[in-house]
Amino acid sequence: MIDITDIKLSNAQIAWRAAQDLQDGSYVNLGIGFPEMVAQFQPEGRTVTYHTENGVLGFGEAPPKGEEDWDLINAGKKAVTLKPGTAFFHHADSFAMVRGGHLDLAILGTYQVAQNGDIANWSTGKGGVPAVGGAMDLVHGAKQIAVITDHVTKKGDPKLVETCTMPLTGLGCVTRVYSSLAVVDVTEKGFVLRDKVAAISLEDLQALTGAELHIEGDVADLACPDV
Amino acid sequence: MDKSLSSLSDAVSHVRDGMTIMIGGFGGSGAPIELIHALIDQRPRGLTVINNNAGNGHVGIAAMIEQDMVQKMICSFPRSSDPRAFTERYLAGKIELEVVPQGTLAERVRAGGAGIPAFFTPASFGTDLAEGKPKEEFDGKMYVRENWLKADVALIKGELGDPHGNLTYRMAARNFSPLMAMAAEKTFAQVSKRVELGDINPEHVVTPGIFVDGLVTVADPQQEEALIQAGARYP
């Protein structure tokens, strides 16, 4: 198997790439953990309003340590800050924004994403305490559902697959994948390759992908700065 | 009419063994720590608790679980930075869990308060959590039927409260509390400041007093997150 250690993007670079597609004036939910990093790379000159499930729209970045206000947190229970224009609302309104189609984009992490847009990102299915949080709501409603992820698991298994084998979070939800090797759209045809890192051949990329990568027109170089 | 109560113990005295209790908060934000600890002092048992989480550390809901007061948790995310109280009992089969997608949980509580016995949501369709639930197609898309949630008592935390029970909240501490206030037979709120009638601009009331049965003032309420960082334990 091809060694991708030196050619794959870092998490920060994946987040940077996803951030380049943030639209001016959009409302965006960033999933807990890795996806939160996307906000750091929001291109200058664009206004993006971030939504968090626990009832805040338009919050700012984390406060300095020691200045946290624990009434002002995000869905990951990390402290955030106010910005001019911040709005608070209760949980039913918050999820009305989600399911009601009012968000332009949600960016989520994932274990697996299938060529038909199915996503498995809430449970490894290995027992323990089941905990879903907002995962099953977030995959519905936003106009675009993007995932950011390594292209393969730590063991080297594809995370972009024909059919999810892990417990599903939602069916046919995902519209775009930003991986450590490629940017892939999920279309009626299945996976369509948009960008790939220059250092990997199409053949090798396909070998690391669990379903067919369709090509439509040019495939752009997935080039990211050292962030 | 004055819904003010003189003590926390008055506010929680309606809770009896076997009741269903809604507790406001998302993690520590909005958790009515003083009301929960007053409830622990009275030790009702066999409770079903509805909250987004299942306790953290050794205070609040985690402390209720440690005191074996909780028979069942209905929540979306029974994990936290220190979830041992719940996890140990769950894995030992000593506490039941109904895990509900977070938006579904909020809407089930809202429905309970609004007199809507069931509704359809796209959340969980096609997943393990939709097993056994009725499904229906609307405009070409499949949805899962979910039923309302109601409770005997809700315990919540507000910021300002007036004698009629009108409440405001502080920042993201609002979360589930306005919904729970509607969905419980009796709702008791701890408020950081009790104000007089007319002191809350009617335009700013978040929970109208009709949903509130009693309020008790707790100035400078404790923050669960700070208690956990300090290694606090209750009792």
Side-chain angles (χ1 to χ4, degrees):
Chain A
M1 181 175 289
I2 175 177
D3 183 1
I4 56 169
T5 317
D6 294 331
I7 59 171
K8 72 176 189 133
L9 304 183
S10 67
N11 277 359
Q13 287 176 309
I14 301 171
W16 179 89
R17 176 62 188 84
Q20 303 317 300
D21 290 344
L22 292 170
Q23 299 295 305
D24 187 35
S26 60
Y27 290 91
V28 176
N29 181 293
L30 300 177
I32 293 170
F34 174 22
E36 292 175 47
M37 202 189 279
V38 173
Q40 295 172 23
F41 303 114
Q42 182 185 318
E44 269 185 50
R46 296 183 209 171
T47 302
V48 177
T49 305
Y50 295 103
H51 166 269
T52 185
E53 295 94 296
N54 55 312
V56 194
L57 201 54
F59 55 90
E61 51 200 47
K65 201 164 165 44
E67 290 176 31
E68 298 92 349
D69 182 329
W70 296 112
D71 283 341
L72 184 54
I73 60 174
N74 63 15
K77 309 201 171 75
K78 293 202 263 301
V80 293
T81 48
L82 296 174
K83 282 200 322 194
T86 299
F88 298 122
F89 36 87
H90 62 59
H91 246 82
D93 279 354
S94 183
F95 280 89
M97 293 175 196
V98 173
R99 290 181 310 253
H102 306 283
L103 296 175
D104 296 292
L105 172 67
I107 301 180
L108 309 170
T110 198
Y111 296 131
Q112 291 179 320
V113 57
Q115 59 184 350
N116 63 354
D118 289 359
I119 177 171
N121 76 347
W122 78 283
S123 165
T124 57
K126 287 182 186 150
V129 180
V132 66
M136 287 187 186
D137 308 275
L138 276 173
V139 296
H140 297 281
K143 294 177 186 81
Q144 302 287 325
I145 306 282
V147 299
I148 56 173
T149 177
D150 265 316
H151 202 84
V152 296
T153 66
K154 289 200 174 89
K155 285 185 187 164
D157 296 326
K159 295 183 76 165
L160 286 74
V161 296
E162 271 185 13
T163 308
C164 293
T165 53
M166 296 172 92
L168 287 170
T169 310
L171 304 183
C173 307
V174 175
T175 56
R176 176 164 264 210
V177 181
Y178 298 95
S179 85
S180 50
L181 296 175
V183 177
V184 173
D185 278 337
V186 181
T187 72
E188 290 195 352
K189 254 190 220 177
F191 291 136
V192 175
L193 182 63
R194 301 299 183 196
D195 305 6
K196 71 168 185 62
V197 294
I200 194 166
S201 69
L202 267 176
E203 203 172 35
D204 286 340
L205 182 63
Q206 180 63 70
L208 294 169
T209 307
E212 187 178 351
L213 287 171
H214 298 275
I215 312 285
E216 281 180 0
D218 293 341
V219 174
D221 272 348
L222 177 48
C224 298
D226 282 330
V227 288
Chain B
M1 180 165 63
D2 188 348
K3 295 181 180 175
S4 306
L5 301 171
S6 54
S7 71
L8 289 159
S9 60
D10 280 355
V12 297
S13 63
H14 293 265
V15 180
R16 302 270 176 268
D17 289 358
M19 280 187 166
T20 296
I21 311 297
M22 289 177 177
I23 299 179
F26 179 89
S29 170
I33 289 291
E34 285 79 3
L35 278 174
I36 299 171
H37 289 175
L39 185 63
I40 290 174
D41 293 343
Q42 298 189 1
R43 293 279 199 298
R45 299 174 71 93
L47 302 177
T48 294
V49 174
I50 301 170
N51 178 263
N52 186 62
N53 305 97
N56 191 8
H58 307 283
V59 296
I61 291 172
M64 286 178 69
I65 292 170
E66 287 177 328
Q67 297 301 317
D68 293 321
M69 296 163 60
V70 183
Q71 182 181 319
K72 180 178 181 182
M73 281 301 316
I74 300 176
C75 65
S76 84
F77 202 76
R79 285 192 211 139
S80 59
S81 56
D82 178 4
R84 279 174 292 175
F86 178 81
T87 304
E88 285 169 7
R89 281 163 185 77
Y90 176 76
L91 296 177
K94 289 180 177 164
I95 192 166
E96 295 168 56
L97 171 65
E98 181 179 345
V99 67
V100 182
Q102 197 174 119
T104 300
L105 181 65
E107 195 64 17
R108 288 178 68 190
V109 175
R110 198 197 74 81
I116 307 281
F119 59 91
F120 285 88
T121 175
S124 90
F125 179 75
T127 77
D128 295 346
L129 294 191
E131 270 177 29
K133 293 176 181 169
K135 284 116 190 155
E136 196 169 326
E137 184 179 323
F138 296 90
D139 292 342
K141 189 174 168 181
M142 293 301 291
Y143 295 81
V144 179
R145 198 185 88 189
E146 295 282 357
N147 294 344
W148 62 9
L149 271 175
K150 297 201 255 191
D152 297 297
V153 173
L155 302 177
I156 62 173
K157 178 162 86 170
E159 171 74 351
L160 305 180
D162 74 16
H164 285 184
N166 294 312
L167 300 180
T168 69
Y169 298 88
R170 185 166 180 275
M171 302 201 277
R174 180 181 310 194
N175 54 69
F176 287 88
S177 294
L179 313 170
M180 291 177 168
M182 300 194 299
E185 198 65 38
K186 297 266 184 204
T187 292
F188 299 96
Q190 63 172 78
V191 295
S192 303
K193 193 175 177 196
R194 184 192 173 283
V195 297
E196 295 307 319
L197 288 181
D199 286 352
I200 302 176
N201 182 334
E203 303 279 8
H204 298 169
V205 171
V206 178
T207 292
I210 191 170
F211 298 127
V212 177
D213 296 278
L215 50 97
V216 56
T217 307
V218 178
D220 299 321
Q222 295 177 299
Q223 285 286 8
E224 183 180 277
E225 191 65 36
L227 289 173
I228 289 164
Q229 285 179 8
R233 191 174 275 277
Y234 196 86

